[in-house]
């Protein structure tokens, strides 16, 4: 694709300081095909974004233009360039680069088109970011001399930072030192859009606080899947940089900061923009079409934009797929990409349980960002059909975030968020009229600005937790007991000393406390945490290994699937959705007659055989006789035409007459009828398996529900065969403590 286009820069040899430094950027289509090019962050957008490298001698002139959070592109995001056509854009680079030092400048144009679609004469349908086929062009350079005459001109960033805040009907300031957030909905008339901005600002701060707490609590980085998912392989220096930058973003939002809801320079696919070091985010129409929580959310937009202002992040790539690829292939770049910070915090918010409550219907309800789960203690798993959105299912309750929940002995439940609370009528199944109300005014002695967790005990008391402290609330007297707050440490044996985010009383004599990705079972009678805690909350394959890799996975015709790791295997009952019986794991030797004691991968074949691979050899297992056929092992080379002959990492039998084999970052498609690899393979996993890890697969298996499951280390992904992409919300951890719940954020 890159050979189809040619770049040129033209300009004057000399400019005077203070006058526009206008350069002509030419893009020529030298192919015989018409194209539509996505204009984002290229000269075709008609604005100087960060696509230049500007040098004055040895000094790099930093970019100081707009930094835009983009949504999904629209047809207007593309520009047509016909075969043989040259498009010229004349742009003043001094708008985005401070050219105040006289001397000789070199300007290098580095253009990467995020997407290019051949124009075949049909109406254009914009492709989603996940489908983009991007390419970079070879850089080109031009030079000029800047004379000292004249005064320097400020960049757009300098103007934004220096201009005083102008009051206006569509502008607002958030000052947490002065604004009583709990009374704002009732007491302040909010113009259209302000409520969404205030809520997104609150949620961004709440989840940045949670992110900082999680980052501080992780003492072993190599097993933090959330970290590696968005920022790549473990590195102590990079991990510390991440902590510093997330802290800086949160601190920036703790200062007075502004939102302008009426900027005039938003494109249709823009969510918001800001500048380095700015105290203002400019909110575009795309923000109001975004969900409050989830992926590319309203609060995530603010995390994205304030990361620009506070941590000087860039927009290297957009979208989850590209951000994942960046983390896997260029982790240092991921650490400088705003979307990676946004998705890091959004993913954490979706996996962290914040407000568990035990309802009178003998179910437990557990809340995450925008969603809730109904957990059945009798079956010890999440009920089918969950999670569901809070909005529409809990009438009157906040639909985006709940900090704490508690069921009172008066037929009511109380839910807390920031400095406000709501009273929920359990019988009527809705929030009582007149709520929310301020916590500090109606809960005597209790913290008035934030509650992290609450639980009713069996002694007529309720306990509330925040940071390192707790309060004991006398239900009959309706006030906090004297002498509180007290430290958690030393008063709750075996429990964490800080950061408790959820608490719930169970019907088994236990209370459960949650923090981040872990939980503790607390024995009420013994008044201490049970041994062997904390444990992980959210795991998904009951009884399966969850603390390391899976070497191979195969589907069998007896209602079981078999998973191999090292010299052991486990049988998984598909109907019961758990490991078949408690004797597992069992050794491969002696239970799989004739098979090696370890295998690299395995795949069932339509001929009643299963093929196992190890190194450069394979074995054929006969399902009917339950043993390896005579004459094996054999070499892969010469027996599997076109397939790698030295190693297979993973293999799956697809319902299309094909088998797929994976090794490192590549895969091959094997035609079963023709008994050979199809022409044109191997191909890279990304972008041909949307959403799947692009660098390594440990094992794969096709289930009987239209899904395929892929495993790597202690995580797995669910791949929708019909939709041909990974389902939303993955990867997830493998092992199991609370089947079906989220909660493992590391």
């Amino acid at each position: 694709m890159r050979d189809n286009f040619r770049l040129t820069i033209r300009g004057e040899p000399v400019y005077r300081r203070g006058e526009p430094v206008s350069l002509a950027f030419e893009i020529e289509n030298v192919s015989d095909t018409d194209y539509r090019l996505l204009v984002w962050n290229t000269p075709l957008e008609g604005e100087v974004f960060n696509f230049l490298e500007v040098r004055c001698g040895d000094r790099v002139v930093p970019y100081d233009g707009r930094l835009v959070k983009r949504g999904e592109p629209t047809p207007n995001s593309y520009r047509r360039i016909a075969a043989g056509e040259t498009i010229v854009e004349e742009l003043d680079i001094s708008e985005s680069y401070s050219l105040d030092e006289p001397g000789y400048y070199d300007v290098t144009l580095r253009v990467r088109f995020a997407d290019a679609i051949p124009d075949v004469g049909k109406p254009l349908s914009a492709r989603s970011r996940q489908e983009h086929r991007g390419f970079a062009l070879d850089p080109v350079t031009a030079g000029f001399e800047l004379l000292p005459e004249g005064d320097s001109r400020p960049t757009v960033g300098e103007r934004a930072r220096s201009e005083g805040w102008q009051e206006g009907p569509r502008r607002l300031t958030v000052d947490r030192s002065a604004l009583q957030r709990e009374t704002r909905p009732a007491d302040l008339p909010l113009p259209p859009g302000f409520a969404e901005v205030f809520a997104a600002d609150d949620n961004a701060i709440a989840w940045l606080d949670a992110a900082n707490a999680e980052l501080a609590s992780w003492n072993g980085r190599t097993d933090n899947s959330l970290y590696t998912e968005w920022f790549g392989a473990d590195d102590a220096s990079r991990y510390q940089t991440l902590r510093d930058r997330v802290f800086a973003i949160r601190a920036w939002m703790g200062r007075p900061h502004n939102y302008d809801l009426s900027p005039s320079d938003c494109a249709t696919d823009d969510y918001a923009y800001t500048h380095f070091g700015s105290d203002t985010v400019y909110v575009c129409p795309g923000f109001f079409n975004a969900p409050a929580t989830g992926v590319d959310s309203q609060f995530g937009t603010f995390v994205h934009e304030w990361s620009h202002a506070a941590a000087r992040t860039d927009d290297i790539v957009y979208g989850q797929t590209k951000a994942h690829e960046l983390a896997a292939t260029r982790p240092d770049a991921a650490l400088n990409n705003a979307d990676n910070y946004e998705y890091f915090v959004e993913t954490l918010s979706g996996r962290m349980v914040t407000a568990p409550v035990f309802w009178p219907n003998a179910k437990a309800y557990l809340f995450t960002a925008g969603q809730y789960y109904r957990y059945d203690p009798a079956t010890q798993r999440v009920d089918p059909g969950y999670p569901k959105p809070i909005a529409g299912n809990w009438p009157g309750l906040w639909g985006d975030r709940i900090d704490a929940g508690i069921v009172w002995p008066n037929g009511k439940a109380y839910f807390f968020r920031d400095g406000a609370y709501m009273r929920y009528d359990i019988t009527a199944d809705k929030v009582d009229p007149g709520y929310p109300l301020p916590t500090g005014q109606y809960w005597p002695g209790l913290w008035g600005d934030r509650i992290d967790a609450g639980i009713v005990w069996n002694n007529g008391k309720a306990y509330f937790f925040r940071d390192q402290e707790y309060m004991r609330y006398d239900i009959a007297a309706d006030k906090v007991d004297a002498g509180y707050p007290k430290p958690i440490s030393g008063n709750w044996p075996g429990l964490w000393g800080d950061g408790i985010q959820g608490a719930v009383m169970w019907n088994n004599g236990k209370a459960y406390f949650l923090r981040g990705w872990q939980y503790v079972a607390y024995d009420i009678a013994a008044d201490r945490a049970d041994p062997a805690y904390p444990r992980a909350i959210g795991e998904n394959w009951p009884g399966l290994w969850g603390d390391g890799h899976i070497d191979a996975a195969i589907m069998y015709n007896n209602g079981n699937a078999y998973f191999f790791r090292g010299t052991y295997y486990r049988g998984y009952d598909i109907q019961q959705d758990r490991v078949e019986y408690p004797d597992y794991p069992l050794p491969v030797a002696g239970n799989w007659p004739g098979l090696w004691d370890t295998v690299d991968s395995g795949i069932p074949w339509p001929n009643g055989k299963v093929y196992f691979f190890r190194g450069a050899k394979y074995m054929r297992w006969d399902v009917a006789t339950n043993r390896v056929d005579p004459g094996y092992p054999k070499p892969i080379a010469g027996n599997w035409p076109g397939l790698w002959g030295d190693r297979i990492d993973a293999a799956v039998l697809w319902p299309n007459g094909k088998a797929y084999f994976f090794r490192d970052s590549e895969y091959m498609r094997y035609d079963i009828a023709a008994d050979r690899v199809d022409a044109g393979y191997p191909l890279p996993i990304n972008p041909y398996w949307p959403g799947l890890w692009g660098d390594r697969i440990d094992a794969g298996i096709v289930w009987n529900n239209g899904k395929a499951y892929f495993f790597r280390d202690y995580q797995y992904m669910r791949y929708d065969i019909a939709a041909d992409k990974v389902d939303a919300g993955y990867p997830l951890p493998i092992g199991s403590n609370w089947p079906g719940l989220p909660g493992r954020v590391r």
Side-chain angles (χ1 to χ4, degrees), residues 537-590:
I537 299 168
E539 313 284 23
N540 298 280
W541 291 77
L544 199 57
W545 293 288
D547 57 350
H549 67 280
I550 291 172
D551 293 330
I554 60 167
M555 182 75 73
Y556 226 64
N557 62 357
N558 61 354
N560 288 342
Y562 292 93
F563 294 85
F564 296 78
R565 187 175 80 172
T567 60
Y568 289 89
Y569 77 102
R570 283 177 168 167
Y572 198 92
D573 188 302
I574 297 167
Q575 184 174 359
Q576 295 296 320
D577 195 21
R578 62 178 55 250
V579 166
E580 187 182 12
Y581 57 82
D583 290 341
Y584 285 104
L586 292 172
V588 176

Side-chain angles (χ1 to χ4, degrees), residues 167-212:
E167 296 292 337
R170 299 284 290 163
R171 296 183 176 188
L172 62 92
T173 297
V174 178
D175 184 352
R176 294 177 186 278
S177 65
L179 191 62
Q180 296 296 317
R181 292 183 297 158
E182 63 267 21
T183 63
R184 186 172 57 218
D187 298 344
L188 294 180
L190 297 178
F194 277 38
E196 292 96 321
V197 170
F198 276 127
D201 189 85
D202 285 344
N203 287 334
I205 283 181
W207 292 116
L208 282 165
D209 283 338
N212 275 312

Side-chain angles (χ1 to χ4, degrees), residues 276-459:
F276 293 136
S278 176
D279 62 3
T280 302
V281 165
Y282 301 83
V283 184
C284 298
F287 169 88
F288 297 101
N289 296 324
T293 59
V295 178
D296 292 309
S297 65
Q298 291 180 341
F299 91 82
T301 296
F302 289 168
V303 173
H304 177 115
E305 289 303 318
W306 292 120
S307 80
H308 288 316
R312 298 187 66 87
T313 61
D314 201 353
D315 290 313
I316 301 169
V317 298
Y318 290 111
Q320 277 198 317
T321 299
K322 299 302 179 185
H324 272 138
E325 293 175 2
L326 198 66
T329 60
R330 299 169 57 201
D332 287 340
L335 199 61
N336 291 311
N337 189 57
D339 260 2
N340 287 68
Y341 286 83
E342 174 180 344
Y343 296 138
F344 174 80
V345 179
E346 286 177 339
T347 304
L348 180 145
S349 75
R351 296 182 187 174
M352 185 175 290
V353 176
T354 59
V357 291
F358 196 90
W359 224 239
N361 63 356
K363 302 282 190 178
Y365 294 89
L366 303 101
F367 296 82
T368 64
Q371 295 184 312
Y372 73 102
Y373 294 76
R374 190 177 72 193
Y375 192 88
D376 189 324
T379 62
Q380 296 188 22
R381 62 177 54 250
V382 169
D383 284 339
Y386 289 85
K388 293 182 179 181
I390 300 170
N393 290 295
W394 292 78
L397 196 58
W398 299 290
D400 51 353
R401 175 172 54 87
I402 298 170
D403 292 342
I406 191 168
V407 175
W408 221 241
N410 61 352
K412 308 286 187 176
Y414 294 89
F415 293 95
F416 299 83
R417 188 175 88 167
D418 298 325
Y421 78 101
M422 289 188 181
R423 188 178 71 193
Y424 199 93
D425 189 295
I426 295 172
T427 302
D429 195 24
K430 63 179 179 181
V431 170
D432 285 336
Y435 290 84
L437 290 173
T439 304
Q441 185 176 342
Y442 292 94
W443 291 76
L446 198 58
W447 298 291
D449 56 347
R450 193 185 86 242
I451 306 294
D452 290 342
I455 188 169
V456 171
W457 219 244
N458 58 356
N459 59 355

Side-chain angles (χ1 to χ4, degrees), residues 15-21 92 94-95 97-102 146-154:
Y15 297 90
R16 290 179 174 82
R17 185 169 60 184
E19 69 178 6
V21 179
D92 177 10
S94 68
E95 282 288 293
Y97 293 86
S98 180
L99 306 179
D100 56 358
E101 180 181 329
L146 186 70
L147 301 179
E149 293 89 348
D151 297 324
S152 60
R153 299 172 67 228

